[in-house]
Amino acid sequence: MAKMNATTISAASPAASSPSLSGLEEPKAQAISAGAAQPASTEPIDTDYPLTPVPFSARKSGASIAVVLLGFTIFAPTLMAGASVGAAFRFSDFLLLLLIGSAVLGTYVAAIGFLGSRTGLTTVVMSRFSFGNKGSKFVSLLLGGTQVGWYGVAVGTVGEMTALALGWESWWAPAAVMIVISTLMALTALYGYEGMYWVSLISTPLILMLAVWITWLGFNEVGGWSGMFTLQPASSMTWSVAVTTIVGTFSSAGTQAANWTRFARSGKSAVTGCIIGFILGNGAMVFFGAVAALAFGEADFVKLLVGMGLGAVAIFFLVGNFWKSNADGAYAFGVAGAEMFDYPSKAPFIVGGATLGTILALTGVQGHIVGYLALLGIAIPPLGGVIIGDWIARWRKGQPAVSHVGVGVRWQGFVPYILGTLLAWYTNNAGIGIAPLNGIIAAMALAWFATKLFPDATDRAVASGEAQIVAPYAR
C-alpha cells in the first residue's frame, strides 16, 4: 500500500482549532492529515476508523458518548462482582471500599478517555507511540484477550442462568443458548457504533430495572438501611483484593474507553461521559449486587437470583444487557485485532474473538470471575499508566502521524509497564495501599522519566522536522 503525504497541520496553526479548516470534514481528508496508509481499493474500508483518527465530521455529541459508556458499564457481571465483594464485608466497610474503588477507576478511565478525544485514536493505536509499532501488538493481544474473557463470562452466565431457571439438566441445551446469543452479540458489534448505541437505549433500562428490583428485595429482606448495617458478612475477602476486584470490573474495558471517546467532540464531553459511565454507572451496579448478596447471604450471583425466585424473570433482563455489553466487548477486541495485524476492518477479529469467547463459556469460565477480576486489576491499569505518562511527557500539544512512529519495540514503555505490574502484584498480595493505583502511578511516573531521559527515533524525527505535529482533534 502506498503511503500518503506526511505533511500535516502544525499545532501552532490557528486553523488547527477550527473543525472547518483542519482537514477533518471528510474521512478521506482525515486519512491524509494522519499520514496513514490508504487502503487499496480491493480491501474493505471500515467506517468506524479502527486504525486512523476519527474525523470531526464523524464525531458524536456528549450525550451520545455518555449513553454508550453508561450502557457499557451497566453490566450484569458487575452485579456479580458486587455480590462477591458485598457478601464478604459489613455494609459500612463495603460502602467505603466502593467509594475508593470507584474513584480510582473513574479517574483513571477519564484520563484515558480524554486522550482518546484529543488524538481521535483507539487505545491500541495510541499505544504505538508508547510501546512501538511492534510492541503495540502486545497491547492489542492483552486488551483484546481480556475482552474475549469477559465475552465468555457473559455468554456462559446466560446459558447457566437459563439452565437453572428452566430446570435443564442436559449439557447441550444451555450450550445451544450460548451459541445463539453469542451470534446475535457478534452481529451487533459488526454493525458498529450505531448498533451499540441503539441496543444501549433498550438494554440499559432493562438491567437497571433488575438491579433496582433486587436491591429493593434486599433492603426489604433485612428491614431497610438500619437492618443492612447490622448484617454480618457471609464470606471473607481482604480489603486489598476487594478494591482490586472493584477496579478490575472495568479496568480492561476502561483502558479501552478511548475506543468510544475518540468520537467525542471535546475532551470535556469525553471526561463527562467517562465519569457518568465508570463512577456512577459502574459504582451503582457494584452497589446493587452487594446489597442483594449481603441481604440474602449468597455471593454467587446466579444462585442468588434463583434463590430469590427471579430466575426466569431475570433471564429477560439479563439477556438484553449481556447483549449490549458483549457487543461492546466484541467491538473492542475487533479493533484490537485490526491494529495488531494492520488490517482495515475489524470484522474477522470480531468473528474470531466471539468464537473463542463462546468456547470459553462452554468450558465454564464464568465460575472463576473473582480471580479473573483480581488479575485484570493488577495487569491492566499499569498499561494505561504508561500511555498517560508518555502522553504528558511528549504529546500534550499534539502527536506526529501514526505512520511516523519510528520504533519497533519501545523499551521506555515496556520497562515501566513491567515494573508497575510487579509493584501492583506485590502490594496486592501484601495488602499495601491500593494495588491498581500503585501500578498506575508507578508506570506513569517511570514512563515520563524514561521518555524525558531517553528520546527515541520518533522524538528525533519531530525535532528535526521530518515528522510534523498533528494538531489535537479535540480540546
Side-chain angles (χ1 to χ4, degrees):
M1 294 185 290
K3 294 287 184 182
M4 302 299 294
N5 191 332
T7 302
T8 56
I9 302 171
S10 168
S13 170
S17 61
S18 172
S20 62
L21 299 176
S22 64
L24 303 180
E25 284 295 329
E26 297 298 331
K28 182 184 292 185
Q30 170 272 329
I32 295 174
S33 70
Q38 184 178 13
S41 59
T42 57
E43 294 181 333
I45 299 176
D46 196 321
T47 56
D48 270 352
Y49 314 99
L51 297 179
T52 56
V54 176
F56 195 83
S57 60
R59 296 297 178 106
K60 309 294 182 180
S61 68
S64 173
I65 299 297
V67 166
V68 170
L69 291 179
L70 187 61
F72 194 20
T73 56
I74 302 298
F75 183 37
T78 309
L79 287 172
M80 299 165 63
S84 67
V85 174
F89 294 92
R90 293 180 62 87
F91 191 58
S92 56
D93 292 335
F94 164 75
L95 292 177
L96 180 57
L97 285 167
L98 178 61
L99 179 63
I100 295 171
S102 296
V104 171
L105 178 63
T107 302
Y108 165 67
V109 173
I112 295 292
F114 176 79
L115 299 193
S117 69
R118 292 271 290 185
T119 64
L121 299 171
T122 65
T123 300
V124 291
V125 175
M126 281 196 294
S127 72
R128 293 185 183 184
F129 291 95
S130 304
F131 292 88
N133 282 318
K134 295 180 180 179
S136 67
K137 310 309 177 186
F138 165 78
V139 179
S140 296
L141 182 63
L142 181 62
L143 293 180
T146 59
Q147 290 306 298
V148 171
W150 267 123
Y151 191 96
V153 169
V155 170
T157 301
V158 170
E160 182 182 350
M161 174 68 72
T162 304
L164 285 173
L166 301 181
W168 293 344
E169 296 183 357
S170 64
W171 178 86
W172 64 266
V177 171
M178 294 180 196
I179 293 171
V180 170
I181 193 64
S182 177
T183 301
L184 294 174
M185 293 166 174
L187 288 174
T188 303
L190 288 170
Y191 192 72
Y193 182 97
E194 291 298 327
M196 293 183 290
Y197 173 77
W198 288 108
V199 174
S200 285
L201 292 180
I202 298 171
S203 68
T204 301
L206 288 178
I207 195 63
L208 281 174
M209 289 172 62
L210 176 63
V212 172
W213 190 4
I214 65 173
T215 303
W216 179 81
L217 290 175
F219 277 117
N220 189 60
E221 177 75 11
V222 300
W225 284 90
S226 60
M228 192 66 65
F229 281 99
T230 65
L231 294 177
Q232 297 298 316
S235 60
S236 63
M237 183 183 295
T238 66
W239 275 65
S240 180
V241 170
V243 174
T244 302
T245 299
I246 292 172
V247 174
T249 55
F250 265 94
S251 62
S252 175
T255 301
Q256 299 177 83
N259 294 357
W260 295 274
T261 61
R262 65 198 175 101
F263 286 93
R265 292 172 183 161
S266 69
K268 180 180 178 180
S269 62
V271 170
T272 301
C274 289
I275 290 174
I276 291 174
F278 289 88
I279 292 184
L280 299 182
N282 188 70
M285 295 301 282
V286 173
F287 174 80
F288 293 148
V291 167
L294 186 57
F296 288 90
E298 177 57 70
D300 186 308
F301 188 69
V302 173
K303 293 179 180 178
L304 172 65
L305 291 179
V306 173
M308 296 172 72
L310 300 177
V313 177
I315 291 175
F316 173 74
F317 293 96
L318 287 172
V319 168
N321 176 255
F322 279 129
W323 188 342
K324 167 59 177 69
S325 296
N326 259 18
D328 285 337
Y331 183 91
F333 57 66
V335 296
E339 191 283 332
M340 187 173 184
F341 293 96
D342 291 315
Y343 194 73
S345 174
K346 62 186 180 299
F349 307 103
I350 288 176
V351 173
T355 301
L356 180 56
T358 305
I359 293 172
L360 290 174
L362 294 172
T363 61
V365 67
Q366 65 275 10
H368 307 283
I369 187 170
V370 173
Y372 182 60
L373 290 176
L375 176 63
L376 296 185
I378 291 171
I380 302 299
L383 194 67
V386 170
I387 294 174
I388 295 168
D390 180 59
W391 184 86
I392 293 173
R394 299 195 290 175
W395 312 123
R396 285 178 296 173
K397 295 183 179 180
Q399 293 172 305
V402 176
S403 60
H404 285 295
V405 176
V407 183
V409 176
R410 192 169 180 274
W411 70 262
Q412 295 95 325
F414 274 100
V415 171
Y417 169 72
I418 293 170
L419 294 178
T421 301
L422 289 174
L423 179 64
W425 172 79
Y426 173 76
T427 55
N428 185 66
N429 289 340
I432 301 173
I434 303 170
L437 183 60
N438 296 338
I440 293 170
I441 293 175
M444 183 169 63
L446 290 170
W448 188 91
F449 279 110
T451 294
K452 286 293 187 181
L453 295 176
F454 303 98
D456 63 15
T458 306
D459 297 306
R460 291 191 289 273
V462 171
S464 66
E466 296 177 19
Q468 292 182 319
I469 296 294
V470 179
Y473 282 74
R475 295 189 180 277

